[in-house]
Amino acid sequence: MSTTVARDIEAYVRDEKRVDWHDESLWHIRSKRDRSTHGLPEWEQLRQTASQIKEHVISKLPDLLEEFERNATANGVKVHWARDAQEHNEIVVQILQSQQIDKVVKSKSMLTEECKLNHHLEKHAIQVVDTDLGERIVQLRDEEPSHIVLPAIHLKKEEIGELFHEHLGTDKGAADPKYLTEAARQHLRTKFLESTAAITGVNFAIAETGGVTICTNEGNADLGVNLARVQIHCMGIEKIIPRWTDLGIFTRLLGRSATGQSTTIYTSHYHKPRPGTEMHIILVDNGRSEHRKREDFRASLKCIRCGACINTCPVYRRAGGHSYGATIPGPIGSILNPTRKPEDHAELPFASSLCGSCTDVCPVKINIHEQLYLLRQDITETSVVPASKTRSFSFLARILTRPRLYRMAGSTARWATRNLPRWAIYHRSNAWGQYRDLPAAPQDSFREWYMKNRTS
Amino acid sequence: MSSRSDILARLRGTAVPAVSLPAYPTIPELTQEALVERFRANASAAGSTVISGNLNWSEIISSASPSAHKIYSDGNIDTDKSVMRSFSLPETLSKSHTAELSRTRTSTDNINQPHSVLLDVAVLTSHLAVAENGSIWLTDSVEHRVIPFITEHLIIRLIDYDLVATMADAYDRLDSSLAFCICIAGPSKTADIEQSLVIGAQAARSLTIVLE
Ligand code: SF4
């Protein structure tokens, strides 16, 4: 055997292992979620209540936004409205520039990822440091988060060790998570202390009180906000909840669904700025009001971004977050992205086995897999080009042109032909499957496979 | 049209069937004993240390941080002479002592010198705890909001406190007009590197809860 071939085989085995490792990491979190929810007899009632509160929110959204604005303004908070990402980014820059601020820390916010805020700030010579550890890791790598709750779940500790060696001066070859986390702690503390503004995402915004709630495990959002003289909270308009006491429902669902924790370590509630400081809240539409028009897909606006559907998704677990090429990956991302930007993400609803596991775990009872199914039909019907070509091919093309993704996805395809039911492979978007059988047809049905493997 | 009126008009332009707000689920009550037991178990599971009974503050502080010298307390604490001497600390920690000691005036007017709040230990008082997740609540009575986060180690005294079963009970009890409040359910943690749990991510490295 030539050495090249041997090396290839070796690399192949290693990558297979990596896919298995990714799969198992996610499944481990899914299992923790199961254990913590099974310990709560009222779990289903909480889901039902949360779902109905969110449905109420969607139906009353304009009134609730006005109520929120009124109360926040009375608290001394400045409320801004942004139609789209561009306007959101301009508002942030304008707030910072009016105060001559050129250094800002930011805690995790999918909204600012969606708006590509970092890029915009850097263009205006404003230094922005992501302070969530996982976010900081992907920022230093110049990558997007691969998961909404676990941004660096795709990386091995050795890769993070190498990154920190390069950027933070940690010892070469050091890969102990404790050591690396300590290095990040010291590095980020200097950033907290030198920044005079802090940006955060928002988990819940309470109409009745005009305040925002932010949930983290690291405490990074609060370190940023409470050391800064300008705090800016960026949120999509669907983050509103009506009543203060509704938090008693949502905080019980969020941590358990996300990581199996009974709650996030820090749940902070900001109603008023500290004396002498400024507090801003930016309400962002960016496609949400259009999304709300679409009856079949409206319920996906209930999402509280817990990540449970992502952790449980057999496709995500094998393909990895970057394969989706979208800010929010996984089942919910496969609804949100194409609903708002069909021209860029039309293939995503097809990257699902429709197994329904996402719907089962969703804490706000979004009918995720049904929406994915409807979205496929919608896309196939409204498209001018044959769906089979564009969709599957652009999904594949993106994976094939990015080597790191390919390692994950190549194995996913092999896994899919082994593991998905015939109808999932030979549906009409797969032209290859219409006239011939794909090799290595599955021995088990997907469901059998799933039941057998879910306990592992 | 302003963005505000534009967004509101777009939302109002779509008729969405009204959905009423649901009632909250009722949760079976627990005895005080069961609550305490749950609180202790869940706090320990989250990595907190729970202490009660005969309190020796010098010991409590030194077990949180043996080399502490910048200590902040929001109330008076009687400490043991010999131990405190080894920290070169006064025998009674009070707000003014700690301020002088750490050259920390943790009031809002020195936010521009944030280094002054780099504390080793902060001892703060809470009046509300939640059994289901071992958490405690702090409100705006904290002299500076950053203290519970920036301190290396956090000690919470639960004094005249309510211990409730769930977060829902906590929100029921809290005054929603507070300018700021926070629920803390353990020391700062992360699992962002290969899902390995590391305690002491960015905020307090340890949380000690003292039941008084
Ligand atoms: S769709 Fe449901 S499960 Fe998925 S992230 Fe949103 S709330 Fe969580």
Side-chain angles (χ1 to χ4, degrees):
Chain A
M1 195 190 294
S2 81
T3 45
T4 334
V5 173
R7 260 209 312 276
D8 282 349
I9 292 173
E10 199 202 324
Y12 172 83
V13 173
R14 205 170 37 226
D15 295 339
E16 281 284 301
K17 275 194 188 144
R18 189 181 180 112
V19 173
D20 289 342
W21 163 79
H22 188 264
D23 186 9
E24 278 156 23
S25 308
L26 271 307
W27 190 251
H28 175 64
I29 301 163
R30 159 74 211 263
S31 317
K32 284 202 293 189
R33 174 247 169 232
D34 289 349
R35 279 199 295 278
S36 88
T37 60
H38 293 164
L40 217 57
E42 65 268 33
W43 183 252
E44 286 307 317
Q45 266 177 293
L46 289 174
R47 285 178 79 208
Q48 185 54 43
T49 311
S51 167
Q52 201 179 327
I53 294 172
K54 281 286 187 176
E55 274 166 29
H56 172 85
V57 168
I58 296 170
S59 74
K60 299 275 268 185
L61 194 50
D63 300 349
L64 290 169
L65 285 166
E66 281 181 321
E67 184 187 349
F68 176 79
E69 180 191 42
R70 209 168 38 244
N71 291 322
T73 308
N75 287 340
V77 176
K78 176 95 182 73
V79 178
H80 310 256
W81 300 69
R83 284 188 189 91
D84 53 25
Q86 179 69 22
E87 192 175 7
H88 162 264
N89 294 347
E90 280 162 11
I91 292 169
V92 175
V93 165
Q94 182 260 318
I95 295 169
L96 296 175
Q97 284 182 342
S98 72
Q99 299 273 329
Q100 285 91 43
I101 292 172
D102 62 358
K103 287 192 180 77
V104 57
V105 284
K106 179 162 80 70
S107 65
K108 188 148 59 200
S109 146
M110 292 320 292
L111 190 267
T112 60
E113 294 287 341
E114 172 187 324
C115 294
K116 307 267 178 283
L117 175 67
N118 283 14
H119 185 64
H120 190 82
L121 291 177
E122 280 152 12
K123 262 201 338 230
H124 286 83
I126 296 168
Q127 181 202 78
V128 53
V129 173
D130 282 315
T131 58
D132 172 83
L133 175 57
E135 291 266 323
R136 186 61 180 148
I137 291 168
V138 295
Q139 187 186 28
L140 289 174
R141 281 174 65 92
D142 204 11
E143 267 182 350
E144 311 250 313
S146 67
H147 188 292
I148 61 175
V149 175
L150 317 151
I153 187 80
H154 59 295
L155 293 172
K156 292 280 208 175
K157 58 179 190 253
E158 290 77 15
E159 290 164 310
I160 297 166
E162 194 49 43
L163 181 79
F164 280 15
H165 172 64
E166 192 185 317
H167 291 273
L168 311 184
T170 52
D171 295 341
K172 176 124 192 93
D176 173 34
K178 213 169 165 204
Y179 169 79
L180 297 175
T181 302
E182 180 63 29
R185 176 186 173 99
Q186 300 304 337
H187 159 71
L188 288 166
R189 285 205 155 209
T190 65
K191 299 296 176 189
F192 284 123
L193 293 170
E194 71 182 28
S195 297
T196 39
I199 299 171
T200 79
V202 169
N203 290 93
F204 308 102
I206 311 121
E208 181 183 62
T209 66
V212 293
T213 301
I214 300 160
C215 307
T216 72
N217 276 329
E218 296 177 17
N220 56 312
D222 304 291
L223 270 169
V225 162
N226 294 319
L227 284 169
R229 60 186 158 84
V230 176
Q231 64 189 89
I232 306 173
H233 308 285
C234 307
M235 56 177 274
I237 51 177
E238 82 282 22
K239 292 281 164 148
I240 294 274
I241 57 172
R243 303 166 294 194
W244 169 253
T245 45
D246 294 334
L247 288 167
I249 302 293
F250 290 104
T251 55
R252 301 193 72 201
L253 289 164
L254 182 62
R256 290 182 172 95
S257 299
T259 56
Q261 292 170 255
S262 49
T263 184
T264 49
I265 299 294
Y266 300 94
T267 309
S268 11
H269 310 79
Y270 293 97
H271 280 108
K272 294 177 186 165
R274 304 187 310 278
T277 69
E278 284 180 20
M279 176 167 165
H280 299 261
I281 297 173
I282 310 178
L283 302 169
V284 185
D285 182 341
N286 205 33
R288 288 161 176 79
S289 56
E290 285 302 308
H291 181 170
R292 182 168 164 274
K293 286 186 182 158
R294 306 184 64 181
E295 199 184 334
D296 286 343
F297 308 112
R298 195 175 282 152
S300 42
L301 287 168
K302 295 193 288 182
C303 175
I304 59 170
R305 305 284 192 271
C306 72
C309 60
I310 301 177
N311 302 339
T312 200
C313 176
V315 175
Y316 175 91
R317 282 190 276 122
R318 304 293 296 187
H322 288 153
S323 311
Y324 291 78
T327 310
I328 299 184
I332 186 63
S334 300
I335 300 171
L336 296 179
N337 300 296
T339 310
R340 295 181 196 164
K341 271 198 166 172
E343 62 285 9
D344 292 346
H345 303 291
E347 75 280 11
L348 289 184
F350 299 89
S352 161
S353 67
L354 300 182
C355 69
S357 180
C358 45
T359 303
D360 290 344
V361 297
C362 178
V364 287
K365 302 191 90 164
I366 301 172
N367 56 337
I368 306 171
H369 75 298
E370 286 167 17
Q371 290 195 28
L372 285 169
Y373 181 65
L374 291 171
L375 201 48
R376 285 183 183 183
Q377 294 175 323
D378 185 77
I379 285 166
T380 313
E381 275 157 27
T382 54
S383 178
V384 285
V385 271
S388 52
K389 292 262 154 49
T390 47
R391 311 284 120 70
S392 316
F393 284 165
S394 66
F395 187 65
L396 277 179
R398 215 177 28 233
I399 295 168
L400 293 174
T401 50
R402 295 165 72 181
R404 203 166 335 119
L405 302 180
Y406 177 56
R407 289 205 301 267
M408 291 261 188
S411 152
T412 302
R414 287 189 294 281
W415 171 88
T417 50
R418 277 201 313 270
N419 293 297
L420 297 187
R422 284 183 63 87
W423 63 263
I425 296 171
Y426 304 103
H427 62 69
R428 62 180 152 150
S429 80
N430 184 356
W432 292 345
Q434 266 170 14
Y435 303 109
R436 75 206 88 140
D437 267 2
L438 291 172
Q443 291 184 334
D444 293 343
S445 77
F446 177 77
R447 198 178 151 71
E448 284 164 348
W449 174 87
Y450 181 72
M451 296 314 285
K452 217 159 51 191
N453 286 273
R454 63 182 295 170
T455 48
S456 62
Chain B
M1 210 195 288
S2 76
S3 301
R4 179 184 186 279
S5 30
D6 189 21
I7 293 169
L8 289 172
R10 265 192 268 173
L11 292 172
R12 294 219 156 92
T14 310
V16 178
V19 178
S20 59
L21 275 173
Y24 298 127
T26 44
I27 294 149
E29 301 229 338
L30 291 169
T31 63
Q32 188 64 20
E33 218 172 30
L35 285 177
V36 173
E37 197 181 305
R38 260 186 211 202
F39 177 79
R40 282 176 175 275
N42 290 327
S44 310
S48 305
T49 307
V50 185
I51 296 173
S52 59
N54 259 341
L55 300 177
N56 177 332
W57 277 101
S58 308
E59 252 172 51
I60 294 171
I61 292 171
S62 65
S63 63
S65 175
S67 57
H69 62 276
K70 281 174 98 175
I71 302 173
Y72 173 88
S73 164
D74 66 2
N76 291 351
I77 300 171
D78 282 323
T79 51
D80 174 77
K81 219 183 211 161
S82 58
V83 181
M84 293 324 267
R85 212 177 292 126
S86 66
F87 289 143
S88 12
L89 294 176
E91 284 148 34
T92 297
L93 279 174
S94 70
K95 204 184 273 187
S96 58
H97 278 132
T98 52
E100 192 190 323
L101 177 80
S102 56
R103 273 177 233 92
T104 304
R105 275 188 39 80
T106 44
S107 64
T108 42
D109 50 63
N110 74 348
I111 186 62
N112 293 328
Q113 294 105 43
H115 288 272
S116 65
V117 288
L118 289 176
L119 299 165
D120 296 316
V121 174
V123 188
L124 302 175
T125 307
S126 163
H127 303 291
L128 180 62
V130 183
E132 73 167 325
N133 51 22
S135 68
I136 58 85
W137 285 77
L138 295 171
T139 64
D140 239 1
S141 56
V142 179
E143 199 179 357
H144 194 306
R145 290 181 191 176
V146 83
I147 290 177
F149 308 103
I150 201 154
T151 186
E152 293 285 318
H153 301 273
L154 178 60
I155 300 177
I156 298 291
R157 305 170 71 185
L158 277 169
I159 303 176
D160 295 330
Y161 60 99
D162 279 335
L163 174 56
V164 297
T166 70
M167 292 294 268
D169 302 315
Y171 284 103
D172 265 347
R173 245 159 251 234
L174 281 154
D175 172 5
S176 64
S177 66
L178 286 165
F180 164 73
C181 64
I182 170 124
C183 171
I184 303 182
S188 169
K189 63 160 92 156
T190 182
D192 274 345
I193 301 178
E194 274 201 19
Q195 285 304 296
S196 307
L197 178 66
V198 178
I199 305 274
Q202 308 214 27
R205 294 176 191 273
S206 72
L207 174 61
T208 308
I209 302 170
V210 182
L211 307 176
E212 290 189 33

